[in-house]
Structure formats: structure tokens, C-alpha cells
Amino acid sequence: MQAIVYTRNGDPDVLELTDRPVPEPGPGEVLVRVARSGVNPTDWKSRQSRPPEAGWQIPNQDGSGRIEAVGTGVDSVLVGERVWIWEAAWQRPWGTAAEYTVVPVRRTVLLQAGASYDVGAALGVPFLTAHRCLTVGETMPDRLDPGALTGREVLVQGGAGAVGNAAIQLARWADATVLATVSSPEKAQLAAAAGADHVINYREQDVVSEVRRIVPNGVDAIVEVAPFTNARIDAEVIGLHGAVAAYADGDGPDVTLPVRKLMILNVRWQFVLLYTEPAAAKAAAVEDVNAAVADGAVRVGDEAGLPLHLYPLDGTAQAHAAVQGGAVGKVLVAVADL
Ligand SMILES: NC(=O)c1ccc[n+]([C@@H]2O[C@H](COP(=O)([O-])OP(=O)(O)OC[C@H]3O[C@@H](n4cnc5c(N)ncnc54)[C@H](OP(=O)(O)O)[C@@H]3O)[C@@H](O)[C@H]2O)c1
């Protein structure tokens, strides 16, 4: 089989197309014929700085494909099933940028009939992160489903990002009122297409007064991509018992918070990292995201505010460079059309 492998950290050119034997699934694992490999910022960050523990690494956590074989302890009824894959490469060398990969069966989820492999490969990192951000608040439910967020207001900072898009789609599915910030009119269209009720251009409008105009008492939850930059804004627009969920640190390492203002409102600041979140929360997220897919509530492409960028397997380096360069939308490696 063909697989993209790196044996040392560095720029995208460390990613090499190699020929390898098709792997055997071990106990508790399945062999997946990969259709799509999803690329997220975590994948290029790992490639750049996380030394491959096995001496080699196939990149990319997310993916979709078809189960071809099962290891011991896994029901063979799964052979032939379409699945989406999450955390394929977490503490394992078997990422999804290959024609076949082996994955612990619990990190595969049956892909609902009617959902494309493109949708499947777009789910893992962005949607599971978004689910965590929408459910960590004290006044937010642990689980999402239609009606779960009725009467709640959610602010998604960076509504045209991959996680931002996922947060908008999931929050709308759960019937929240969704406000989103963006930096341009083009990104405003994407956030609106994803389902945001109100879109604020943070370069041209005053976010605090806009949010307060729409939600005078402040929002229940903030999904925050830029905590260093936005901490003061968040403190001005969060409501009583609200929660700010910060899932990125790209804009700066430290955050300064107005303690009294947040203390008076009993506000929670919650930091989110997908890999280390509590197992029960992760399991709930996987189930709820799959339910949203089954409801037809998760979409990809321009009409969902998530333009697709497809690269061939031997273009995985370009796919990584695109994500690293801030591509708007979802970058996928089209490994096979199954
Ligand atoms: N903690 C976790 O488990 C976890 C999970 C997934 C992703 N992440 C991290 O989260 C970050 C985003 O990931 P992604 O895949 O969503 O990337 P992405 O698709 O590139 O989206 C990032 C978005 O943030 C927006 N943004 C930047 N500065 C902003 C600001 N001050 N206010 C509002 N929006 C702002 C960007 O748009 P503009 O610059 O045009 O505003 C862009 O739309 C990455 O650093 C990634 O590593 C962490």
C-alpha cells in the first residue's frame, strides 16, 4: 500500500510517499481502507515538533473509510461497514494518510447512511472539540440534541474556522441562538451559511456593544479560539454563570482576566484539549456528533460555510502546508473513492 510517512520533525517536505505492507489489525483493532484523511492544525504541529515514538509516523488523526478486517476480540460483523475515525494517530504511529490503517475499534464510528466520506473525515477533531466547548459550562447540558440548548445564547469567536464552523452547526442543531465573530464579509457569509443567527465582523464592529445589543444579559457560553486577544471582550459579554471555553493558544500564551468582573458573575473559564478531556465527555461527544450526522445536521462544503479543499495522497505535504497557511474551510486528502 501507499502511505505518507515521516521519520523526523520538520516542514511539510519531511512527509514522504512510501510503499509498505498492508498492516494486520491487532487485538481490539480494525483494518480500515481509507477514503478520506482529514487535516487539522494538530497534524502539522505534531509533524513539526512531536518526535515519532515508533521511529516513524503516518500523519493525520481524522479520517473515513471502510472496515476491511478485524483483529481478535472485534466482531467480524463490522467488516464492510463505513466508518469515521477519530484520534487515529494519538500515541500511535498509524494515522490516516495511507491507503490502509489500523485503528482501535473504539476510535471508529459507523458512518450514517447518506453521510459522505467527506463529512466523515471532517468530524473528529473539530466537532469533538466543539462539543466539549459547548457542554463544559455549569449551565450547559452535558449532552447535545435538538432542544438541548433552547433558550441559550452561544458566542462562537472565529465562526469561519473549522472548529468555529462545527460549534455553529452543533449549537444550531441543539437549538441555541448563535452569535459568531469573523474578520471579513467573505467569512461572514461562511458563518451565516453554517447557521449563525448573528454574525459580527470584529474588524469593523464593536463586538461588545453588538453582542450586548442582541443579548442584553450576556451569553451563556463562548467558544474561544483567541483567548489572549479576546479575554477582555469575553469578560464584557459573558452572562451570569456563563462559561468561556478556550481551545487554542495561537494568539498568545498568557491570558489576563478581570477577576472581580468574572467573580461577580460566577463565570467559569475552561481550557479544552481534545486528547486529555475526560473519557466520559469524549464518549458523549462521539455519540452526539454521530446523532447530529444522522439528523442531517452536519454538512460540509460552501453551502455549509466549510469550503472543501481536496488533495491527492501524494499531495499530503501540500495539504499540511495549506492548513498551516490558514486555509479557510476543510482540507482533506482524497485517498480513494470507495
Ligand atoms: N484544544 C483542542 O483540542 C483543539 C482542537 C482543535 C483545534 N485546536 C486549535 O484551534 C486553533 C483553530 O483550529 P481550526 O482548525 O479551527 O483552525 P482554522 O480553521 O484556521 O480557524 C481558526 C479561526 O480563528 C479565527 N480567528 C483568529 N483570531 C481571531 C480573533 N481574534 N477573533 C476571532 N476569530 C479569530 C480565524 O479567522 P480570522 O483570523 O480571519 O479572524 C480562523 O477563522 C488551532 O490553533 C488548533 O491547533 C485545538
Side-chain angles (χ1 to χ4, degrees):
M1 69 163 186
Q2 293 200 307
I4 299 295
V5 172
Y6 61 97
T7 55
R8 61 189 164 88
N9 296 123
D11 290 334
D13 60 9
V14 300
L15 299 176
E16 287 179 42
L17 184 68
T18 59
D19 274 317
R20 307 173 66 91
V22 174
E24 296 273 330
E29 292 180 345
V30 293
L31 173 71
V32 178
R33 173 104 198 265
V34 178
R36 296 285 183 273
S37 173
V39 187
N40 293 284
T42 186
D43 301 312
W44 69 256
K45 291 175 186 177
S46 294
R47 183 208 71 224
Q48 203 167 57
S49 59
R50 180 181 277 266
E53 282 170 28
W56 58 275
Q57 179 74 46
I58 296 173
N60 302 352
Q61 301 288 345
D62 293 348
S64 58
R66 199 174 57 214
I67 293 181
E68 295 281 309
V70 299
T72 54
V74 181
D75 195 332
S76 61
V77 74
L78 290 174
V79 172
E81 292 289 354
R82 300 162 74 243
V83 291
W84 58 279
I85 301 167
W86 52 276
E87 288 181 25
W90 175 238
Q91 297 178 328
R92 296 170 53 83
W94 294 102
T96 59
E99 289 180 310
Y100 293 86
T101 192
V102 282
V103 193
V105 66
R106 61 173 291 275
R107 297 190 201 172
T108 66
V109 189
L110 293 182
L111 187 56
Q112 303 292 324
S116 68
Y117 285 124
D118 289 347
V119 166
L123 296 173
V125 170
F127 279 80
L128 299 182
T129 303
H131 185 284
R132 173 79 172 151
C133 291
L134 291 169
T135 53
V136 284
E138 192 171 10
T139 61
M140 301 296 272
D142 295 339
R143 303 296 299 257
L144 297 181
D145 58 16
L149 297 181
T150 299
R152 309 280 167 78
E153 283 97 11
V154 172
L155 172 63
V156 178
Q157 294 274 27
V163 177
N165 174 280
I168 295 171
Q169 294 205 55
L170 285 179
R172 271 304 298 269
W173 172 62
D175 291 314
T177 298
V178 183
L179 296 75
T181 61
V182 295
S183 63
S184 68
E186 296 74 28
K187 288 187 172 181
Q189 283 188 350
L190 296 176
D197 299 281
H198 306 275
V199 183
I200 301 163
N201 182 330
Y202 70 81
R203 292 240 165 87
E204 291 177 352
Q205 295 170 282
D206 180 62
V207 176
V208 173
S209 55
E210 279 302 304
V211 173
R212 283 286 173 185
R213 182 180 64 74
I214 299 161
V215 188
N217 291 332
V219 298
D220 298 293
I222 300 177
V223 181
E224 183 54 81
V225 67
F228 174 82
T229 309
N230 292 334
R232 292 244 155 222
I233 294 172
D234 293 343
E236 296 290 338
V237 301
I238 194 75
L240 185 70
H241 305 158
V244 181
Y247 65 89
D249 65 351
D251 67 326
D254 302 316
V255 170
T256 302
L257 297 174
V259 175
R260 174 149 290 272
K261 192 179 264 299
L262 297 170
M263 197 170 79
I264 289 168
L265 294 170
N266 260 278
V267 162
R268 181 180 292 187
W269 258 76
Q270 171 81 44
F271 298 91
V272 169
L273 182 70
L274 186 61
Y275 300 119
T276 55
E277 76 172 272
K282 181 86 61 71
V286 169
E287 276 185 22
D288 293 352
V289 167
N290 216 35
V293 174
D295 269 3
V298 175
R299 301 165 300 135
V300 297
D302 291 340
E303 65 285 0
L306 195 66
L308 290 179
H309 310 283
L310 294 176
Y311 292 80
L313 184 60
D314 64 4
T316 299
Q318 286 78 15
H320 268 223
V323 174
Q324 203 163 346
V328 179
K330 186 73 225 173
V331 173
L332 299 176
V333 177
V335 182
D337 286 320
L338 303 181

